Amino acid sequence: ARLTLGNGMQISLTDAKNGQLAMQSGISVIKTADGKMIYQGDNQEVNKTLLYNTIETPRGGQYQVILSDGTKVWLNAASSLKYPTSFNSLKERKVILSGEAYFEVVHNKTQPFRVVSGSQLVEDIGTSFNINDYTDDPVAKTTVIEGAASVASLNESQLTQQSQPSSGDPKQVAATENVIGTKILTPGQQAVLNKTGGLSIRNADLQEVVAWKNGDFVFRSTDFRTVMRNIARWYDVDVIYDPSAPSDVPLGGLVSRSKNISVLLNLMEETGAVHFKIEGRKITIRK
């Protein structure tokens, strides 16, 4: 993973030594021995300078960060999160996500926690939730594990506004609450947002949703092409579909993400519906 500080300096979290990596606006950025990054400091003494950091994970990697308010975030492969080093001077705690992340939010009703991803806005209501919103996926999926969350579809002008750094301006915060298409999710529910802005609710398989965070692949209800996109991100491979490739393959089961990719592909081939040809980091799929 890579961390970009507010001054533009980049730090490879893989290569960095454990301990304090930086000091920003009174907040210490610390890498722990168990592979986490923690923001620590006395928020009452933080100065008014608003600095944003960005953490990015590569294909095949994941990372955990604990924000200055104590909120825990797990980032899946090929994802990024932009956030303030401190929320102390802000009316809202707003972060910007690309890819997939699992959030355990420290709830504060006087300072809402909001996530902008793609063309949606998610707000915590005492919540643990997972957001899957990769640009190459046809839909964005937000799933509540505990508590509740609101999910709203943003139009283009709202998206531009919400993707800007939060100034704490009450007018900006008020605009956040006027988005259209808001849905409230309870545990086990998933909001699905398509590329045209349509928002629907369905029940989710929670084990399948959070399997990545627990180091697994779980295949039950996910379609084959989505499975292959997940595999490509985790194993850092390129997938090519032969004209004969099946549109879907019946899959079911659990496989550890620590397994070699060949183990996973061999299990899929045992269905008799698909065959894989591996050339370096290129995988060709055919019937």
Side-chain angles (χ1 to χ4, degrees):
R2 180 177 62 194
L3 173 67
T4 302
L5 302 177
N7 61 5
M9 177 182 175
Q10 294 189 341
I11 299 173
S12 169
L13 296 174
T14 304
D15 300 328
K17 295 182 179 180
N18 298 333
Q20 182 171 298
L21 302 179
M23 174 68 77
Q24 300 175 101
S25 300
I27 296 291
S28 295
V29 185
I30 300 169
K31 179 185 175 183
T32 66
D34 57 352
K36 299 184 184 72
M37 188 169 60
I38 302 175
Y39 285 73
Q40 290 182 342
D42 185 348
N43 282 353
Q44 299 304 315
E45 298 182 5
V46 172
N47 62 41
K48 297 295 184 179
T49 303
L50 181 62
L51 295 176
Y52 273 77
N53 284 187
T54 302
I55 181 172
E56 301 169 85
T57 55
R59 298 214 299 179
Q62 65 183 70
Y63 213 83
Q64 182 183 355
V65 57
I66 301 177
L67 304 178
S68 62
D69 66 337
T71 292
K72 298 177 181 179
V73 186
W74 287 258
L75 276 180
N76 201 353
S79 301
S80 69
L81 186 74
K82 182 177 181 180
Y83 50 91
T85 56
S86 170
F87 299 105
N88 187 49
S89 61
L90 304 175
K91 300 292 185 181
E92 63 174 353
R93 296 170 293 161
K94 185 168 67 181
V95 302
I96 301 171
L97 170 69
S98 174
E100 183 168 22
Y102 180 92
F103 294 83
E104 288 184 359
V105 179
V106 174
H107 185 63
N108 180 351
K109 64 181 181 180
T110 64
Q111 193 184 38
F113 189 94
R114 292 167 172 142
V115 183
V116 177
S117 72
S119 57
Q120 70 174 2
L121 177 70
V122 179
E123 180 175 334
D124 122 85
I125 310 175
T127 326
S128 296
F129 55 87
N130 190 87
I131 299 177
N132 180 308
D133 195 0
Y134 288 101
T135 56
D136 59 345
D137 280 343
V139 297
K141 293 175 286 189
T142 300
T143 311
V144 169
I145 313 302
E146 295 180 4
S150 68
V151 181
S153 174
L154 302 176
N155 62 35
E156 188 172 348
S157 62
Q158 290 166 330
L159 179 61
T160 300
Q161 181 186 51
Q162 294 307 318
S163 296
Q164 300 304 314
S166 175
S167 64
D169 184 341
K171 292 181 180 179
Q172 184 182 34
V173 176
T176 302
E177 298 171 352
N178 291 329
V179 292
I180 59 174
T182 301
K183 304 285 187 182
I184 303 296
L185 302 181
T186 55
Q189 290 187 320
Q190 182 178 84
V192 180
L193 178 67
N194 62 39
K195 298 301 182 182
T196 62
L199 189 62
S200 61
I201 304 296
R202 67 188 182 190
N203 293 326
D205 182 329
L206 296 186
Q207 184 185 19
E208 188 174 22
V209 169
V210 301
W212 69 267
K213 175 178 170 288
N214 300 325
D216 298 316
F217 291 106
V218 171
F219 306 126
R220 275 200 285 266
S221 59
T222 306
D223 70 85
F224 177 63
R225 302 256 172 156
T226 298
V227 167
M228 291 310 303
R229 286 193 293 270
N230 291 335
I231 289 173
R233 294 183 195 114
W234 181 244
Y235 290 102
D236 189 17
V237 295
D238 296 318
V239 175
I240 298 171
Y241 291 90
D242 183 84
S244 69
S247 59
D248 204 2
V249 175
L251 300 174
L254 181 151
V255 180
S256 171
R257 298 213 301 182
S258 65
K259 295 289 187 182
N260 189 287
I261 189 173
S262 61
V263 173
L264 191 55
L265 299 182
N266 287 339
L267 288 172
M268 291 185 184
E269 286 189 334
E270 289 179 4
T271 65
V274 66
H275 180 74
F276 302 97
K277 180 180 179 182
I278 303 174
E279 299 173 297
R281 307 201 72 80
K282 183 175 73 173
I283 297 175
T284 301
I285 301 174
R286 61 177 182 263
K287 190 172 181 179

